[in-house]
């Protein structure tokens, strides 16, 4: 997968409040498939879950929620046709329709 020229790797670096955190998005720009690899996100508090967002034309688009119990695996996320950036926030379990910027953990530009 990583050798496919259509796969764009985006490193999501920790924001100011979480500088040591990191994740990676593997985005197939031909098929619009998105895969997520976590590096060191802390466990989510009870009743909370991490959510991946694509930033499309300056607006957040839900790319799906994901479990943290399989951090050694690559997780398939929602398809995203175009994006300028990807970000992960901590949201209420099940995800939210809108991004909570006060709970932004990592972000990376495409």
């Amino acid at each position: 997968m990583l050798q496919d020229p259509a796969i764009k790797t985006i490193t999501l670096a920790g924001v100011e409040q979480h500088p040591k955190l990191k994740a990676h998005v593997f985005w197939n720009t031909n098929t619009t498939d998105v895969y997520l690899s976590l590096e060191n996100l802390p466990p989510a508090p009870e009743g909370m879950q991490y959510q991946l967002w694509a930033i499309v034309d300056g607006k957040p688009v839900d790319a799906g929620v994901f479990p943290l119990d399989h951090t050694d695996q690559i997780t398939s996320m929602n398809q995203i046709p175009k994006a300028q950036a990807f970000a992960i926030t901590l949201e209420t379990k099940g995800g939210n329709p809108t991004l909570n910027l006060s709970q932004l953990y990592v972000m990376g530009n495409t």
Side-chain angles (χ1 to χ4, degrees), residues 19-75:
K20 296 183 180 178
L21 301 183
K22 192 184 287 186
H24 303 280
V25 167
F26 304 101
W27 179 34
N28 187 319
T29 55
N30 289 342
T31 66
T32 72
D33 291 333
V34 174
Y35 303 94
L36 179 66
S37 173
L38 304 173
E39 198 161 302
N40 59 352
L41 288 179
E46 187 69 32
M48 303 295 280
Q49 188 170 22
Y50 289 103
Q51 187 167 356
L52 178 66
W53 300 91
I55 309 304
V56 180
D57 297 328
K59 299 190 183 321
V61 174
D62 175 23
V65 294
F66 52 91
L68 276 178
D69 54 347
H70 298 294
T71 57
D72 59 339
Q73 298 176 356
I74 293 178
T75 304

Side-chain angles (χ1 to χ4, degrees), residues 86-104:
F86 286 91
I88 294 176
T89 58
L90 183 64
E91 305 288 349
T92 325
K93 193 166 185 153
N96 282 331
T98 57
L99 169 119
N100 181 353
L101 277 176
S102 69
Q103 292 295 318
L104 181 63

